[in-house]
Amino acid sequence: MAKRLNILYRLMFLVFGFGIVLCCQKVETKKLSHDAMIAYRVDSLLALMTLEEKIGQMTQVRHFSDIQKGDIGTKYIGSVIHTNGPLPGEGAYGWQAKFTALQKEALSTRLGIPLLFGVDAVHGQNTFKGATIFPHNIGLGATRNPDLVQKAAQITAIEAQATGFNWVFSPCVAIPYNEKWGRVYEAFSESTEVTQAMAKASVRGHQGNLSDRTTVMATAKHYIGDGATDFGIEGGNTTVSSNEINKRLLPPYQEAVKEGVGAIMASFNTLNDMPLHAHKALITDTLKTKIGFDGIVLTDWKGYSKYGKNAIVNAGVDMVMAVDGDLDLFQNGLKNGVEKGSVSMDRINDAVKRILRQKYRLDLFNKPFPDTTLIQKIGSLDHRNTARQAVRESLVLLKNDNNVLPIDKQVKKIVVVGEHAHNSGLQSGGWTISWQGDIENYEGATTILDGLKRYSNNIIYDADATGNHVDADIAIVVVGEKPYAEFFGDINENTGFKLTLSEAHKKYINTYVNAGVRTVVILISGRPLVVTDQLRAVDAFVAAWLPGSEGDGIAEVLFGDYDFSGKLPHSWPESLEDFSGRFGPNFWDNSIKPLFQFGYGLSY
Ligand code: BGC
């Protein structure tokens, strides 16, 4: 009997085991067949395309200025970008309607290839008034919370889709070497490890399964060395060694590629005077061949005419941001190059395959239009709650003497100082509503002051520190940088930006400190600043970065409903001398000692 049972068990085990093997094979074939199906479709479509149609797919234009009516069809445009300039329409329905109309033009061409619609949604769908605006990446880096970054990216994808886009030019995975660079805040951290973790989370959040209408294609940018230029000059030259590139700069890209990132944008900078756009060794040999990136390499703004025309295509660029007069120059120039044999047909075919592959992965051939039901989710409470959580978790407490924080809700008089305390434009930085940012409150946002007022009826707002309220028990002084974005935000004589607080902001602090009022400083900035004297003088100091639309989240931590948990994403410099070198302050060089180490951050 026992023997029979044994045989029976063995038989059952065999059948079960065989079942599992079959099952796994089925999953494997199914997965393979999805990729194989896309490859088959790409090849079949490519075989039907003329050279003009192929070059068209490689072209990205704005929905205004670059094109005349009908150009989408006659120039076989592959992608449309929305950026600084005229809005696509009135409200989200208007935006969707505009992009739907352009999509219809593309679909009515001979081969009916759908368009990719891309946008600089770099901290939420920040080009749309009323969207949820997250803290800039530097603040997300401070949270050390990849799950939250993933959630923020998911929300950004929904709000981007709701306004008509299927592609975002985010995340920036730069490693800033020099805090003078005007784009430090677009990057998560000086740490490669933190940036890797956040890059992975961001790509996963944006792209999801890629094929439904709540996700978008992501772009890791700017490849490579954007934040490593000498003296922090945007688009400048970098001289870092290939060892440095491999060790510090490449890993976030490797992580993004592993996560299936759909696009990578080439960088404005040069490496030992060679434009990155034309750097075949880094684009083709390293990124595509060695790392195995099978998505689209896109130029940055006007990259074709700026960085060597067809040389950039030969280096491995697949799609060109053909803006500001580059459209015909690019299309005719590339056609000429192919006809003359200086650009191979193989290279063109590879570029177009990469573009079509992403369009199939996004399932655009079946679902080319945005979904109007998503519009109600723009700036929804649910989305804002996640952004508020990100604000709370991004705050880094640098000093808290005599337990001035958390603030006692019963305190008799609190004076709030500084224009940054009550201006959602100032608290959000560049790439918010407009390219260089705004100095106005915008729709749906709350300010820091709004949040504080929810906790106490005893708050007085003294915007420019008149000195009339030195009888206050506590002063909360909000100071920092004005909004800026690329080029305009570098710290040098031309831009006017400095590494220190303005004289006016120093005065705001001194007015209350000198009168003996317990003073808390909230610093709004896109990078660490040299604030050593102020740090010494005040009771508490919070680095709040660029929190975005949910400014009221700050009060929730100041009043102690939540604790501080943010950790410095950058080492904090002590003096201006720290910045004297090419990479100043380069805290990987142990000869410079930071005031606060990377990772520093107090809690209650
Ligand atoms: C920036 C990119 C951005 C692009 C499109 C460029 O100037 O460097 O980060 O994605 O413009 O607006």
Side-chain angles (χ1 to χ4, degrees):
M1 182 68 183
K3 205 174 168 191
R4 271 200 196 163
L5 261 179
N6 202 359
I7 292 173
L8 194 70
Y9 278 138
R10 278 178 184 216
L11 252 172
M12 275 167 65
F13 187 74
L14 256 176
V15 170
F16 184 64
F18 191 58
I20 287 181
V21 170
L22 268 183
C23 216
C24 290
Q25 270 185 350
K26 211 165 162 202
V27 171
E28 193 54 33
T29 3
K30 212 168 150 200
K31 186 173 167 292
L32 266 183
S33 69
H34 181 66
D35 288 350
M37 185 73 80
I38 287 183
Y40 172 76
R41 288 192 174 133
V42 167
D43 287 341
S44 317
L45 187 49
L46 189 78
L48 302 174
M49 292 172 79
T50 63
L51 178 59
E52 287 80 359
E53 285 165 334
K54 290 177 183 176
I55 292 174
Q57 281 304 303
M58 296 170 70
T59 312
Q60 180 176 73
V61 293
R62 286 174 296 196
H63 56 87
F64 55 91
S65 299
D66 304 320
I67 44 168
Q68 313 285 331
K69 207 168 168 25
D71 276 358
I72 295 281
T74 55
K75 299 188 177 176
Y76 312 107
I77 303 297
S79 174
V80 168
I81 172 178
H82 169 63
T83 180
N84 206 32
L87 300 180
E90 269 294 314
Y93 286 98
W95 288 41
Q96 284 203 8
K98 169 80 177 195
F99 297 137
T100 295
L102 293 178
Q103 191 66 294
K104 283 184 178 161
E105 273 187 55
L107 295 176
S108 66
T109 55
R110 187 178 76 96
L111 298 171
I113 304 174
L115 289 161
L116 286 164
F117 292 98
V119 66
D120 282 304
V122 301
H123 62 144
Q125 207 314 42
N126 46 246
T127 68
F128 187 79
K129 276 188 190 157
T132 309
I133 311 292
F134 288 90
H136 266 297
N137 284 346
I138 193 168
L140 297 182
T143 70
R144 302 291 204 276
N145 186 346
D147 292 341
L148 184 57
V149 169
Q150 186 176 330
K151 220 166 147 197
Q154 270 162 357
I155 289 172
T156 304
I158 291 170
E159 298 200 10
Q161 276 283 355
T163 44
F165 301 96
N166 44 38
W167 185 4
V168 296
F169 305 133
S170 179
C172 172
V173 298
I175 307 290
Y177 275 51
N178 194 319
E179 253 100 57
K180 288 190 202 159
W181 188 38
R183 309 188 77 163
V184 169
Y185 67 80
E186 291 186 56
F188 295 104
S189 172
E190 73 179 27
S191 148
T192 298
E193 289 73 25
V194 170
T195 308
Q196 264 178 291
M198 298 313 193
K200 175 179 174 171
S202 176
V203 172
R204 186 173 281 189
H206 281 112
Q207 295 200 162
N209 64 13
L210 255 193
S211 62
D212 71 51
R213 285 294 69 95
T214 58
T215 57
V216 293
M217 183 164 82
T219 310
K221 70 185 189 183
H222 311 79
Y223 188 80
I224 196 168
D226 48 353
T229 61
D230 298 355
F231 308 105
I233 296 169
E234 167 67 351
N237 186 43
T238 179
T239 47
V240 296
S241 66
S242 48
N243 188 30
E244 276 284 279
I245 291 180
N246 292 337
K247 196 168 109 202
R248 294 197 201 281
L249 306 184
L250 261 184
Y253 287 98
Q254 285 163 319
E255 204 62 49
V257 170
K258 248 197 258 163
E259 206 50 50
V261 71
I264 291 181
M265 189 186 290
S267 184
F268 283 145
N269 62 284
T270 54
L271 171 64
N272 297 321
D273 298 319
M274 154 79 93
L276 252 300
H277 277 70
H279 210 298
K280 187 159 185 274
L282 279 169
I283 297 180
T284 299
D285 305 346
T286 304
L287 184 62
K288 293 183 170 177
T289 310
K290 206 161 142 213
I291 301 179
F293 175 59
D294 74 353
I296 303 165
V297 175
L298 170 74
T299 69
D300 202 339
W301 198 257
K302 222 170 167 354
Y304 183 75
S305 59
K306 274 199 218 155
Y307 300 115
K309 306 203 174 117
N310 291 344
I312 68 169
V313 177
N314 282 332
V317 160
D318 305 306
M319 185 183 275
V320 164
M321 226 182 254
V323 290
D324 274 349
D326 267 14
L327 173 56
D328 291 340
L329 187 80
F330 164 60
Q331 292 203 329
N332 299 335
L334 187 55
K335 189 170 174 217
N336 227 325
V338 176
E339 284 167 355
K340 291 210 168 111
S342 60
V343 181
S344 73
M345 215 40 215
D346 279 355
R347 179 68 272 275
I348 300 291
N349 287 341
D350 172 56
V352 177
K353 274 188 187 184
R354 288 166 176 271
I355 294 160
L356 296 178
R357 188 183 295 140
Q358 290 310 127
K359 292 185 175 184
Y360 279 113
R361 284 182 179 160
L362 280 156
D363 204 18
L364 283 184
F365 289 83
N366 291 318
K367 292 177 261 178
F369 302 117
D371 174 357
T372 49
T373 65
L374 291 178
I375 290 177
Q376 55 177 340
K377 300 201 170 180
I378 300 173
S380 65
L381 188 63
D382 193 29
H383 289 184
R384 290 184 187 281
N385 285 342
T386 302
R388 193 173 304 103
Q389 178 191 349
V391 172
R392 290 192 302 263
E393 293 189 21
S394 70
L395 304 176
V396 181
L397 181 61
L398 295 177
K399 180 179 183 183
N400 189 22
D401 276 6
N402 314 315
N403 293 329
V404 62
L405 294 176
I407 300 168
D408 179 352
K409 288 171 196 156
Q410 306 311 324
V411 84
K412 291 224 185 60
K413 182 168 178 178
I414 300 173
V415 61
V416 177
V417 182
E419 59 279 4
H420 282 69
H422 197 37
N423 187 309
S424 54
L426 283 174
Q427 88 203 7
S428 300
W431 299 106
T432 316
I433 308 308
S434 63
W435 177 39
Q436 295 291 323
D438 282 317
I439 308 196
E440 285 162 22
N441 281 308
Y442 58 84
E443 219 173 297
T446 56
T447 67
I448 299 167
L449 182 66
D450 292 337
L452 294 168
K453 282 188 165 166
R454 273 186 214 147
Y455 280 88
S456 168
N457 294 325
N458 304 328
I459 290 188
I460 307 282
Y461 183 41
D462 182 19
D464 51 0
T466 55
N468 294 338
H469 301 285
V470 290
D471 58 337
D473 301 293
I474 292 185
I476 301 174
V477 187
V478 190
V479 290
E481 296 186 302
K482 291 202 180 106
Y484 53 81
E486 42 179 345
F487 301 104
F488 295 86
D490 290 351
I491 288 179
N492 56 46
E493 305 76 54
N494 305 329
T495 63
F497 279 100
K498 294 207 165 72
L499 286 160
T500 49
L501 292 177
S502 68
E503 290 310 310
H505 283 189
K506 286 181 194 163
K507 191 205 111 196
Y508 293 178
I509 298 172
N510 289 339
T511 303
Y512 286 93
V513 168
N514 294 346
V517 182
R518 299 203 300 160
T519 303
V520 178
V521 167
I522 312 287
L523 180 68
I524 299 294
S525 69
R527 50 196 156 200
L529 298 179
V530 177
V531 285
T532 312
D533 291 344
Q534 290 74 33
L535 262 156
R536 288 205 180 106
V538 303
D539 296 277
F541 201 106
V542 179
W545 318 110
L546 299 166
S549 57
E550 310 316 300
D552 58 354
I554 292 180
E556 298 176 344
V557 184
L558 293 189
F559 278 95
D561 280 359
Y562 293 86
D563 200 350
F564 283 93
S565 59
K567 303 286 171 220
L568 281 182
H570 289 265
S571 326
W572 198 283
E574 180 166 13
S575 70
L576 288 177
E577 287 71 61
D578 291 349
F579 289 86
S580 57
R582 243 180 336 140
F583 294 143
N586 175 2
F587 293 115
W588 305 309
D589 164 3
N590 294 331
S591 66
I592 307 173
K593 208 175 154 296
L595 185 61
F596 298 109
Q597 297 281 355
F598 164 82
Y600 181 84
L602 303 169
S603 56
Y604 290 143

